[in-house]
Amino acid sequence: QEGIVRPHSRDEELLGLAALAVADERARKGEVQKARLLYEQASTRTPADPRPLLSWATLEAAAGADRKAIALLEQARQRGADEVLVRNNIGGLLCRAGQWNEALVQYRRLAELRPGDAQVRYTIGIAQARTGDPVAAQESLVKALALDPSHANAKTALGLLAIQHRTDHTSTDPGS
């Protein structure tokens, strides 16, 4: 039909990237609601691009909307976002929410993707300790130290586990 202009997909992509840039600026200024709307527009206009979803998830996480951030991160992963980045961020949000078992799922997959990462092993150890598995926690923390002998947090956590172990055994020992 004459007189009808249909947007070209490249135009949509450019509009989406422009919306992303403006959304980032609004987010930096603390204009959360405006940024949300712009991230949504950017995401809709660039359906194969994970970047708007990643930025939007960052905004939601900073605002304390962890469930929304996790959902956006999962969508970004489906759009091809770096799995290591996504799983690390989801794991961190789950830890922050005290959802240790769910966090363990993310960090175990992360350990498969990054087997030489001491921080991942350390975080697995912390999550295992929080879920009541001190033996597995100790093993993970020892692995973290084997990968990075200077990992101060892993050393501290191992020391705390040892103290907890001694305290638990002394309080249940009838001879004490």
Side-chain angles (χ1 to χ4, degrees):
Q1 290 178 331
E2 211 155 310
I4 296 177
V5 178
R6 300 199 190 286
H8 186 272
S9 64
R10 180 71 179 143
D11 295 339
E12 284 296 306
E13 181 183 354
L14 291 173
L15 289 171
L17 293 175
L20 176 58
V22 174
D24 288 341
E25 182 61 30
R26 297 289 186 210
R28 276 192 291 280
K29 291 181 177 181
E31 299 173 10
V32 175
Q33 288 298 70
K34 289 180 182 177
R36 281 183 175 130
L37 292 171
L38 289 163
Y39 283 134
E40 186 173 7
Q41 286 178 15
S43 175
T44 301
R45 290 180 184 272
T46 58
D49 191 338
R51 292 175 298 176
L53 295 169
L54 293 170
S55 295
W56 189 0
T58 300
L59 176 81
E60 296 298 349
D66 292 352
R67 285 186 183 173
K68 178 68 175 178
I70 290 169
L72 291 166
L73 287 165
E74 286 290 355
Q75 289 175 37
R77 187 174 59 79
Q78 291 169 2
R79 288 188 184 185
D82 180 56
E83 187 176 1
V84 170
L85 171 77
V86 170
R87 289 195 182 275
N88 187 56
N89 285 318
I90 290 174
L93 291 168
L94 291 168
C95 285
R96 183 164 85 175
Q99 296 176 310
W100 300 104
N101 286 317
E102 293 84 355
L104 269 171
V105 171
Q106 298 299 320
Y107 284 111
R108 284 184 175 132
R109 175 66 182 135
L110 197 52
E112 292 171 10
L113 296 169
R114 307 264 322 250
D117 191 323
Q119 184 64 29
V120 171
R121 297 295 176 173
Y122 161 76
T123 307
I124 289 172
I126 296 302
Q128 289 167 323
R130 293 290 188 140
T131 58
D133 192 350
V135 173
Q138 181 177 356
E139 290 171 6
S140 293
L141 293 168
V142 167
K143 283 181 188 174
L145 284 171
L147 293 167
D148 178 4
S150 67
H151 197 293
N153 289 338
K155 288 178 186 177
T156 301
L158 265 175
L160 291 172
L161 274 175
I163 291 169
Q164 180 183 6
H165 179 74
R166 282 195 303 271
T167 304
D168 289 348
H169 283 337
T170 354
S171 62
T172 58
D173 183 3
S176 59

